């Protein structure tokens, strides 16, 4: 079992920056896909950024060049650096991990990011 917890959300003005953190406990390993999704009311959850065990980085087109995902050496913490934030980035952001060998996804509880003046 893997448990995830996000931190770092909040209110920021357009053009500002925020850094989200995800802390993992339990049976997390370097084999897991690690990433971030976000969701707004009435819409499906969408992938924001993810990194595979093979160090393949994937970003949503809407955040390329503005957001960066990174992780620590122990692979127990990963981060989402968000720069040049826009009002349309407002959403609940979820930390995510996937164990593909058992077809299982893990989610954090979510953290609210609001971009507004």
């Amino acid at each position: 079992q893997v448990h995830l917890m996000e931190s770092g959300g909040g209110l920021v003005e357009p053009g500002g920056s925020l850094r989200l953190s995800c802390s993992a406990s339990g049976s997390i390993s370097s084999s897991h896909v690690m990433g971030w999704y976000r969701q707004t009311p009435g819409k499906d959850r969408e992938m924001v950024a993810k990194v595979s065990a093979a160090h393949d980085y994937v970003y949503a087109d809407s955040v390329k060049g503005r957001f960066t995902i990174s992780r620590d050496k122990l692979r127990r913490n990963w981060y989402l650096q968000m720069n040049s934030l826009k009002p349309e980035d407002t959403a609940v952001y979820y930390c995510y991990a996937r164990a593909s060998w058992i077809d299982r996804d893990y989610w954090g509880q979510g953290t609210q990011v609001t971009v507004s003046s």
Side-chain angles (χ1 to χ4, degrees), residues 8 12 14 19 35-36 39 42 45 53-54 66 70 74 84 101 117:
V12 63
R19 188 190 195 212
W36 295 91
Q39 189 170 25
R45 197 169 292 188
R66 300 188 298 122
S70 62
L74 293 177
S84 303
W101 60 96
S117 55

Side-chain angles (χ1 to χ4, degrees), residues 12-18 82-86 115:
V12 63
E13 293 186 347
S17 298
L18 276 178
M82 304 185 293
N83 298 328
S84 303
L85 281 160
K86 305 175 182 180
V115 185

Side-chain angles (χ1 to χ4, degrees), residues 2 15 61 66 76 102-103:
V2 173
D61 288 342
R66 300 188 298 122
R76 288 200 165 271
I102 55 173
D103 193 26

Side-chain angles (χ1 to χ4, degrees), residues 5 14 31 48 117:
M5 181 170 291
S31 298
V48 176
S117 55

Side-chain angles (χ1 to χ4, degrees), residues 19-39:
R19 188 190 195 212
L20 304 182
S21 299
C22 180
S23 179
S25 60
S27 303
I28 193 74
S29 76
S30 59
S31 298
H32 284 79
V33 174
M34 300 169 181
W36 295 91
Y37 279 65
R38 66 187 181 187
Q39 189 170 25

Side-chain angles (χ1 to χ4, degrees), residues 11 46 52 62 114 117:
L11 173 65
E46 65 170 353
S52 72
S62 58
T114 301
S117 55

